Amino acid sequence: MSTRKQESEVTVVHLVRHGEVDNPDGVLYGRREGYHLSELGRRMADRVAEHLAARDVTHVVASPLERAQETAEPVAKTHGLDVATDERLIEAANVFEGKTFGVGDGALRRPENWRHLTNPFRPSWGEPYIEQVVRMMGALDAARDAARGHEAVCVSHQLPIWIVRSFAEKRRLWHDPRRRQCTLASLTSFTYQGAKLVSVGYSEPALDLVPPHLRAGARPAKSKGASKAFGA
């Protein structure tokens, strides 16, 4: 293939957030294994597959975590593909993993948590934002190269998707988690011409299935478990 043709090829990489997780205790599950899609989450995954059924998808890859793999499966099946795994798509590391830590639960008043909350710009409670950018950009580049001239689907998690989008759109990386535009089963789509990123789009094919308090910009519900699902 000529260099000129390679430079003019249009490739789309869709970063998909997984569907709803079965998490009745409201645990911040992070990178923990054993957290699968709920029945509603599987319906969300099916909706994403339906949304992408007519698209020219030639590569499907997911985070190694179960909820991401299970979200990717219907998309891959629709296109007769296998789900590849890329460790770089994994959820961000968080020191509060395994705990019930969320808006309105009093966690900010617990002295044992204060040392982890000293620097929201890095952030001090988890994987640095810039490290998330580096690994997610690497995963995007790999998916783009695997699907050159076609489309790729990468299933990941809310925070890494939002951070790499913020970087691509030249926004600051530190932010209010309640204002992330990355609803369950949403698509953040990166369009490339050759190796150059030319646009970023966003869509929510399963929005009608998403509980109102888990939609982009919503205030988390105060009931047990509900406030912990956002940001996962």
Side-chain angles (χ1 to χ4, degrees):
M1 183 182 296
S2 68
T3 300
R4 180 172 296 179
K5 185 174 181 180
Q6 287 179 329
E7 292 175 348
S8 65
E9 276 184 331
V10 174
T11 306
V12 181
V13 179
H14 304 284
L15 271 181
V16 179
R17 184 183 172 193
H18 61 78
E20 185 192 61
V21 175
D22 185 11
N23 182 25
D25 295 325
V27 172
L28 184 63
Y29 35 77
R31 294 181 174 182
R32 290 194 163 202
E33 296 181 353
Y35 286 89
H36 298 266
L37 293 183
S38 64
E39 181 178 348
L40 178 59
R42 292 185 182 277
R43 288 171 57 200
M44 292 177 182
D46 288 340
R47 179 68 65 80
V48 172
E50 292 169 8
H51 179 75
L52 293 171
R55 304 298 291 259
D56 184 23
V57 175
T58 61
H59 182 63
V60 178
V61 61
S63 154
L65 297 173
E66 294 97 333
R67 57 193 185 271
Q69 294 279 323
E70 291 164 359
T71 301
E73 285 169 3
V75 178
K77 183 177 180 180
T78 297
H79 293 276
L81 302 169
D82 294 325
V83 178
T85 299
D86 190 330
E87 295 280 348
R88 293 171 293 190
L89 294 170
I90 200 167
E91 175 64 289
N94 191 309
V95 297
F96 298 110
E97 186 177 299
K99 301 179 181 179
T100 53
F101 180 88
V103 177
D105 70 353
L108 296 179
R109 294 192 295 272
R110 299 171 193 163
E112 66 270 23
N113 290 333
W114 293 348
R115 64 190 176 91
H116 299 301
L117 302 171
T118 56
N119 185 356
F121 307 106
R122 185 178 183 266
S124 52
W125 55 82
E127 182 182 11
Y129 292 137
I130 193 61
E131 291 183 12
Q132 294 179 54
V133 169
V134 170
R135 65 177 172 85
M136 290 294 288
M137 289 298 292
L140 281 169
D141 289 349
R144 178 201 64 210
D145 291 344
R148 279 194 176 276
H150 305 279
E151 300 187 25
V153 173
C154 304
V155 184
S156 187
H157 307 268
Q158 187 193 59
L159 179 55
I161 294 173
W162 180 248
I163 289 299
V164 75
R165 176 183 173 184
S166 296
F167 177 81
E169 295 180 333
K170 303 186 187 312
R171 288 194 302 275
R172 68 190 188 198
L173 301 184
W174 60 274
H175 61 282
D176 182 342
R178 296 168 296 183
R179 300 190 180 279
R180 295 173 189 158
Q181 189 182 42
C182 190
T183 300
L184 291 165
S186 61
L187 279 69
T188 302
S189 302
F190 294 72
T191 300
Y192 298 85
Q193 186 168 3
K196 181 181 179 181
L197 179 65
V198 294
S199 68
V200 180
Y202 179 76
S203 59
E204 298 174 329
L207 182 61
D208 60 304
L209 300 177
V210 178
H213 69 279
L214 295 180
R215 296 179 183 179
R219 295 184 67 84
K222 297 280 182 79
S223 59
K224 182 180 180 181
S227 66
K228 319 303 188 303
F230 82 100

